[in-house]
mmCIF file of all heavy atoms in Angstrom:
data_model
loop_
_atom_site.group_PDB
_atom_site.id
_atom_site.type_symbol
_atom_site.label_atom_id
_atom_site.label_comp_id
_atom_site.label_asym_id
_atom_site.label_seq_id
_atom_site.Cartn_x
_atom_site.Cartn_y
_atom_site.Cartn_z
ATOM 1 N N ARG A 1 -6.297 -3.689 52.441
ATOM 2 C CA ARG A 1 -7.193 -3.781 51.310
ATOM 3 C C ARG A 1 -8.637 -3.962 51.759
ATOM 4 O O ARG A 1 -9.592 -3.422 51.189
ATOM 5 C CB ARG A 1 -6.809 -4.929 50.377
ATOM 6 C CG ARG A 1 -5.766 -4.631 49.335
ATOM 7 C CD ARG A 1 -4.396 -4.430 49.933
ATOM 8 N NE ARG A 1 -3.371 -4.380 48.875
ATOM 9 C CZ ARG A 1 -2.081 -4.105 49.084
ATOM 10 N NH1 ARG A 1 -1.658 -3.847 50.331
ATOM 11 N NH2 ARG A 1 -1.218 -4.059 48.107
ATOM 12 N N LEU A 2 -8.787 -4.757 52.796
ATOM 13 C CA LEU A 2 -10.138 -4.979 53.364
ATOM 14 C C LEU A 2 -10.790 -3.690 53.766
ATOM 15 O O LEU A 2 -11.958 -3.422 53.461
ATOM 16 C CB LEU A 2 -9.984 -5.928 54.560
ATOM 17 C CG LEU A 2 -11.192 -6.694 55.060
ATOM 18 C CD1 LEU A 2 -11.695 -7.679 54.024
ATOM 19 C CD2 LEU A 2 -10.787 -7.498 56.338
ATOM 20 N N VAL A 3 -10.032 -2.846 54.476
ATOM 21 C CA VAL A 3 -10.548 -1.543 54.917
ATOM 22 C C VAL A 3 -10.844 -0.652 53.710
ATOM 23 O O VAL A 3 -11.906 -0.027 53.638
ATOM 24 C CB VAL A 3 -9.541 -0.847 55.846
ATOM 25 C CG1 VAL A 3 -9.971 0.564 56.172
ATOM 26 C CG2 VAL A 3 -9.360 -1.668 57.130
ATOM 27 N N GLN A 4 -9.944 -0.634 52.732
ATOM 28 C CA GLN A 4 -10.150 0.236 51.575
ATOM 29 C C GLN A 4 -11.370 -0.169 50.744
ATOM 30 O O GLN A 4 -12.178 0.700 50.366
ATOM 31 C CB GLN A 4 -8.912 0.246 50.657
ATOM 32 C CG GLN A 4 -9.072 1.150 49.435
ATOM 33 C CD GLN A 4 -7.789 1.397 48.711
ATOM 34 O OE1 GLN A 4 -7.490 0.728 47.743
ATOM 35 N NE2 GLN A 4 -7.011 2.396 49.178
ATOM 36 N N ILE A 5 -11.540 -1.443 50.513
ATOM 37 C CA ILE A 5 -12.664 -1.879 49.686
ATOM 38 C C ILE A 5 -13.998 -1.659 50.374
ATOM 39 O O ILE A 5 -14.980 -1.270 49.720
ATOM 40 C CB ILE A 5 -12.466 -3.375 49.275
ATOM 41 C CG1 ILE A 5 -11.274 -3.494 48.316
ATOM 42 C CG2 ILE A 5 -13.720 -3.942 48.612
ATOM 43 C CD1 ILE A 5 -11.374 -2.658 47.058
ATOM 44 N N GLN A 6 -14.064 -1.881 51.686
ATOM 45 C CA GLN A 6 -15.330 -1.578 52.357
ATOM 46 C C GLN A 6 -15.625 -0.110 52.381
ATOM 47 O O GLN A 6 -16.788 0.325 52.314
ATOM 48 C CB GLN A 6 -15.328 -2.137 53.791
ATOM 49 C CG GLN A 6 -16.715 -2.051 54.414
ATOM 50 C CD GLN A 6 -16.880 -2.896 55.658
ATOM 51 O OE1 GLN A 6 -16.180 -2.701 56.641
ATOM 52 N NE2 GLN A 6 -17.801 -3.865 55.596
ATOM 53 N N THR A 7 -14.591 0.732 52.418
ATOM 54 C CA THR A 7 -14.762 2.176 52.328
ATOM 55 C C THR A 7 -15.400 2.552 50.996
ATOM 56 O O THR A 7 -16.279 3.413 50.932
ATOM 57 C CB THR A 7 -13.440 2.919 52.491
ATOM 58 O OG1 THR A 7 -12.866 2.601 53.756
ATOM 59 C CG2 THR A 7 -13.609 4.441 52.417
ATOM 60 N N VAL A 8 -14.977 1.880 49.925
ATOM 61 C CA VAL A 8 -15.609 2.099 48.611
ATOM 62 C C VAL A 8 -17.070 1.743 48.671
ATOM 63 O O VAL A 8 -17.929 2.476 48.205
ATOM 64 C CB VAL A 8 -14.878 1.306 47.505
ATOM 65 C CG1 VAL A 8 -15.606 1.474 46.159
ATOM 66 C CG2 VAL A 8 -13.423 1.721 47.394
ATOM 67 N N GLY A 9 -17.360 0.548 49.243
ATOM 68 C CA GLY A 9 -18.766 0.139 49.319
ATOM 69 C C GLY A 9 -19.635 1.086 50.104
ATOM 70 O O GLY A 9 -20.772 1.386 49.712
ATOM 71 N N ASN A 10 -19.080 1.623 51.206
ATOM 72 C CA ASN A 10 -19.822 2.624 51.999
ATOM 73 C C ASN A 10 -20.087 3.887 51.194
ATOM 74 O O ASN A 10 -21.194 4.450 51.227
ATOM 75 C CB ASN A 10 -19.067 2.957 53.270
ATOM 76 C CG ASN A 10 -18.856 1.835 54.218
ATOM 77 O OD1 ASN A 10 -17.910 1.806 54.972
ATOM 78 N ND2 ASN A 10 -19.734 0.813 54.184
ATOM 79 N N THR A 11 -19.053 4.344 50.463
ATOM 80 C CA THR A 11 -19.147 5.600 49.721
ATOM 81 C C THR A 11 -20.103 5.487 48.522
ATOM 82 O O THR A 11 -20.887 6.397 48.275
ATOM 83 C CB THR A 11 -17.763 6.033 49.244
ATOM 84 O OG1 THR A 11 -16.896 6.153 50.386
ATOM 85 C CG2 THR A 11 -17.820 7.361 48.494
ATOM 86 N N VAL A 12 -20.031 4.365 47.815
ATOM 87 C CA VAL A 12 -20.901 4.148 46.666
ATOM 88 C C VAL A 12 -22.316 3.837 47.104
ATOM 89 O O VAL A 12 -23.295 4.056 46.353
ATOM 90 C CB VAL A 12 -20.321 3.052 45.724
ATOM 91 C CG1 VAL A 12 -21.231 2.774 44.558
ATOM 92 C CG2 VAL A 12 -18.921 3.460 45.281
ATOM 93 N N GLY A 13 -22.472 3.319 48.285
ATOM 94 C CA GLY A 13 -23.806 3.018 48.807
ATOM 95 C C GLY A 13 -24.257 1.586 48.585
ATOM 96 O O GLY A 13 -25.454 1.280 48.666
ATOM 97 N N THR A 14 -23.314 0.680 48.317
ATOM 98 C CA THR A 14 -23.662 -0.722 48.098
ATOM 99 C C THR A 14 -23.544 -1.577 49.343
ATOM 100 O O THR A 14 -23.855 -2.745 49.335
ATOM 101 C CB THR A 14 -22.791 -1.337 46.971
ATOM 102 O OG1 THR A 14 -21.388 -1.085 47.303
ATOM 103 C CG2 THR A 14 -23.102 -0.729 45.616
ATOM 104 N N THR A 15 -23.067 -0.973 50.458
ATOM 105 C CA THR A 15 -23.093 -1.649 51.748
ATOM 106 C C THR A 15 -23.158 -0.596 52.842
ATOM 107 O O THR A 15 -22.593 0.472 52.731
ATOM 108 C CB THR A 15 -21.892 -2.559 51.962
ATOM 109 O OG1 THR A 15 -22.029 -3.262 53.212
ATOM 110 C CG2 THR A 15 -20.580 -1.765 51.989
ATOM 111 N N SER A 16 -23.860 -0.934 53.928
ATOM 112 C CA SER A 16 -23.866 -0.077 55.125
ATOM 113 C C SER A 16 -23.043 -0.697 56.245
ATOM 114 O O SER A 16 -22.910 -0.106 57.298
ATOM 115 C CB SER A 16 -25.333 0.099 55.628
ATOM 116 O OG SER A 16 -25.910 -1.146 55.909
ATOM 117 N N ASP A 17 -22.451 -1.870 55.964
ATOM 118 C CA ASP A 17 -21.628 -2.537 56.956
ATOM 119 C C ASP A 17 -20.318 -1.797 57.096
ATOM 120 O O ASP A 17 -19.673 -1.386 56.140
ATOM 121 C CB ASP A 17 -21.322 -3.965 56.477
ATOM 122 C CG ASP A 17 -20.723 -4.842 57.562
ATOM 123 O OD1 ASP A 17 -19.595 -4.542 57.988
ATOM 124 O OD2 ASP A 17 -21.375 -5.794 57.993
ATOM 125 N N THR A 18 -19.887 -1.573 58.338
ATOM 126 C CA THR A 18 -18.631 -0.889 58.624
ATOM 127 C C THR A 18 -17.708 -1.712 59.528
ATOM 128 O O THR A 18 -16.932 -1.184 60.293
ATOM 129 C CB THR A 18 -18.878 0.488 59.272
ATOM 130 O OG1 THR A 18 -19.645 0.308 60.468
ATOM 131 C CG2 THR A 18 -19.643 1.426 58.326
ATOM 132 N N THR A 19 -17.835 -3.030 59.412
ATOM 133 C CA THR A 19 -17.043 -3.902 60.265
ATOM 134 C C THR A 19 -15.577 -3.576 60.204
ATOM 135 O O THR A 19 -14.866 -3.598 61.219
ATOM 136 C CB THR A 19 -17.247 -5.389 59.854
ATOM 137 O OG1 THR A 19 -18.643 -5.726 60.027
ATOM 138 C CG2 THR A 19 -16.404 -6.313 60.694
ATOM 139 N N TYR A 20 -15.067 -3.271 58.999
ATOM 140 C CA TYR A 20 -13.656 -2.999 58.805
ATOM 141 C C TYR A 20 -13.352 -1.521 58.513
ATOM 142 O O TYR A 20 -12.391 -0.968 59.009
ATOM 143 C CB TYR A 20 -13.074 -3.887 57.698
ATOM 144 C CG TYR A 20 -13.285 -5.372 57.984
ATOM 145 C CD1 TYR A 20 -14.303 -6.108 57.362
ATOM 146 C CD2 TYR A 20 -12.463 -6.002 58.937
ATOM 147 C CE1 TYR A 20 -14.462 -7.446 57.670
ATOM 148 C CE2 TYR A 20 -12.655 -7.358 59.231
ATOM 149 C CZ TYR A 20 -13.671 -8.064 58.591
ATOM 150 O OH TYR A 20 -13.844 -9.388 58.914
ATOM 151 N N SER A 21 -14.239 -0.890 57.717
ATOM 152 C CA SER A 21 -14.002 0.502 57.349
ATOM 153 C C SER A 21 -14.129 1.419 58.562
ATOM 154 O O SER A 21 -13.614 2.537 58.569
ATOM 155 C CB SER A 21 -14.958 0.942 56.256
ATOM 156 O OG SER A 21 -16.318 0.787 56.687
ATOM 157 N N GLY A 22 -14.818 0.967 59.606
ATOM 158 C CA GLY A 22 -14.963 1.786 60.810
ATOM 159 C C GLY A 22 -13.813 1.633 61.780
ATOM 160 O O GLY A 22 -13.843 2.219 62.888
ATOM 161 N N LEU A 23 -12.803 0.867 61.399
ATOM 162 C CA LEU A 23 -11.680 0.618 62.284
ATOM 163 C C LEU A 23 -10.441 1.359 61.846
ATOM 164 O O LEU A 23 -10.266 1.649 60.643
ATOM 165 C CB LEU A 23 -11.381 -0.876 62.385
ATOM 166 C CG LEU A 23 -12.496 -1.776 62.871
ATOM 167 C CD1 LEU A 23 -12.056 -3.225 62.898
ATOM 168 C CD2 LEU A 23 -13.091 -1.333 64.192
ATOM 169 N N GLU A 24 -9.573 1.635 62.775
ATOM 170 C CA GLU A 24 -8.282 2.296 62.503
ATOM 171 C C GLU A 24 -7.180 1.247 62.415
ATOM 172 O O GLU A 24 -7.113 0.319 63.229
ATOM 173 C CB GLU A 24 -7.966 3.245 63.683
ATOM 174 C CG GLU A 24 -6.612 3.902 63.570
ATOM 175 C CD GLU A 24 -6.239 4.708 64.820
ATOM 176 O OE1 GLU A 24 -6.990 4.629 65.821
ATOM 177 O OE2 GLU A 24 -5.177 5.377 64.791
ATOM 178 N N LEU A 25 -6.341 1.390 61.435
ATOM 179 C CA LEU A 25 -5.187 0.515 61.290
ATOM 180 C C LEU A 25 -4.050 1.080 62.164
ATOM 181 O O LEU A 25 -3.590 2.212 61.991
ATOM 182 C CB LEU A 25 -4.691 0.499 59.817
ATOM 183 C CG LEU A 25 -5.625 -0.262 58.862
ATOM 184 C CD1 LEU A 25 -5.509 0.289 57.452
ATOM 185 C CD2 LEU A 25 -5.294 -1.763 58.839
ATOM 186 N N VAL A 26 -3.633 0.329 63.129
ATOM 187 C CA VAL A 26 -2.601 0.748 64.095
ATOM 188 C C VAL A 26 -1.324 -0.025 63.796
ATOM 189 O O VAL A 26 -1.242 -1.242 64.012
ATOM 190 C CB VAL A 26 -3.033 0.542 65.559
ATOM 191 C CG1 VAL A 26 -1.986 1.020 66.529
ATOM 192 C CG2 VAL A 26 -4.392 1.250 65.797
ATOM 193 N N ASN A 27 -0.319 0.654 63.299
ATOM 194 C CA ASN A 27 0.933 0.004 62.883
ATOM 195 C C ASN A 27 1.726 -0.488 64.066
ATOM 196 O O ASN A 27 1.588 0.010 65.197
ATOM 197 C CB ASN A 27 1.759 0.970 62.018
ATOM 198 C CG ASN A 27 2.859 0.278 61.296
ATOM 199 O OD1 ASN A 27 2.703 -0.886 60.847
ATOM 200 N ND2 ASN A 27 3.985 0.930 61.098
ATOM 201 N N ASP A 28 2.628 -1.421 63.803
ATOM 202 C CA ASP A 28 3.436 -2.030 64.863
ATOM 203 C C ASP A 28 4.290 -1.031 65.603
ATOM 204 O O ASP A 28 4.714 -1.279 66.750
ATOM 205 C CB ASP A 28 4.290 -3.151 64.299
ATOM 206 C CG ASP A 28 5.314 -2.632 63.297
ATOM 207 O OD1 ASP A 28 4.907 -2.409 62.132
ATOM 208 O OD2 ASP A 28 6.485 -2.438 63.666
ATOM 209 N N ASP A 29 4.648 0.095 64.997
ATOM 210 C CA ASP A 29 5.510 1.084 65.668
ATOM 211 C C ASP A 29 4.706 2.151 66.390
ATOM 212 O O ASP A 29 5.292 3.120 66.916
ATOM 213 C CB ASP A 29 6.480 1.741 64.653
ATOM 214 C CG ASP A 29 5.751 2.581 63.589
ATOM 215 O OD1 ASP A 29 4.484 2.442 63.481
ATOM 216 O OD2 ASP A 29 6.410 3.295 62.816
ATOM 217 N N ASP A 30 3.377 1.997 66.464
ATOM 218 C CA ASP A 30 2.548 3.000 67.163
ATOM 219 C C ASP A 30 2.868 2.870 68.681
ATOM 220 O O ASP A 30 2.903 1.795 69.207
ATOM 221 C CB ASP A 30 1.076 2.695 66.910
ATOM 222 C CG ASP A 30 0.166 3.813 67.360
ATOM 223 O OD1 ASP A 30 0.030 3.983 68.580
ATOM 224 O OD2 ASP A 30 -0.422 4.502 66.509
ATOM 225 N N PRO A 31 3.049 4.029 69.370
ATOM 226 C CA PRO A 31 3.344 3.979 70.786
ATOM 227 C C PRO A 31 2.292 3.368 71.659
ATOM 228 O O PRO A 31 2.545 2.980 72.797
ATOM 229 C CB PRO A 31 3.590 5.468 71.137
ATOM 230 C CG PRO A 31 2.902 6.230 70.041
ATOM 231 C CD PRO A 31 3.039 5.415 68.840
ATOM 232 N N ARG A 32 1.068 3.207 71.140
ATOM 233 C CA ARG A 32 0.005 2.553 71.886
ATOM 234 C C ARG A 32 0.221 1.040 72.008
ATOM 235 O O ARG A 32 -0.394 0.391 72.878
ATOM 236 C CB ARG A 32 -1.355 2.865 71.251
ATOM 237 C CG ARG A 32 -1.818 4.290 71.416
ATOM 238 C CD ARG A 32 -3.064 4.586 70.585
ATOM 239 N NE ARG A 32 -2.792 4.608 69.162
ATOM 240 C CZ ARG A 32 -3.714 4.748 68.234
ATOM 241 N NH1 ARG A 32 -4.998 4.906 68.589
ATOM 242 N NH2 ARG A 32 -3.401 4.800 66.961
#
């Protein structure tokens, strides 16, 4: 949710912060 909501803020133009929206969610089953 944190990533999604900051993505909304970036898209609408109410924040330029990308602390979370600029990150990739890597699930526990990812081979990395």
Side-chain angles (χ1 to χ4, degrees):
R1 273 71 169 174
L2 199 62
V3 172
Q4 182 167 95
I5 291 304
Q6 189 165 62
T7 301
V8 176
N10 297 153
T11 303
V12 178
T14 52
T15 184
S16 59
D17 192 294
T18 57
T19 299
Y20 302 103
S21 59
L23 302 182
E24 175 188 7
L25 290 151
V26 181
N27 195 33
D28 63 280
D29 64 348
D30 191 291
R32 289 172 289 177

